[in-house]
Amino acid sequence: MAKKTAKRRAWTAGDVRELKGFARQKMPVARMARALRRSESATRQKLNGLGLSLRSRRAKSSRSGSARRRAR
């Protein structure tokens, strides 16, 4: 049986508009990708290309900044 290959789809203006809205809502990338019916990596690449950061979505450490500095 032949392996199915993913077919590339261009990003439409509507897709980009939705993606920016999801980013504003700080939605996880996995949910964004599922809603847009695209892979997580394609979604991350597009966000990066648009200059939208995913840094604010990372879980905060239980240590405070000063405790981290003292631990070094």
Side-chain angles (χ1 to χ4, degrees), residues 4 10 24 33 38 49-50 57 59-60 63-65 70-72:
K4 250 188 185 177
R24 262 186 246 108
R38 295 184 181 269
L50 293 171
R57 288 165 184 69
K60 301 234 181 212
R63 291 174 138 183
S64 67
R70 275 186 261 129
R72 288 183 187 173

Side-chain angles (χ1 to χ4, degrees), residues 13-65:
D15 289 340
V16 173
R17 195 175 317 114
E18 266 190 288
L19 185 62
K20 285 181 178 182
F22 294 152
R24 262 186 246 108
Q25 295 171 15
K26 298 186 188 255
M27 182 185 284
V29 177
R31 283 185 53 202
M32 288 183 201
R34 207 172 21 241
L36 293 166
R37 299 182 67 205
R38 295 184 181 269
S39 68
E40 280 188 50
S41 61
T43 305
R44 284 180 193 279
Q45 285 179 342
K46 190 61 176 181
L47 284 166
N48 190 32
L50 293 171
L52 300 172
S53 173
L54 299 173
R55 295 273 181 221
S56 62
R57 288 165 184 69
R58 293 192 181 193
K60 301 234 181 212
S61 171
S62 60
R63 291 174 138 183
S64 67

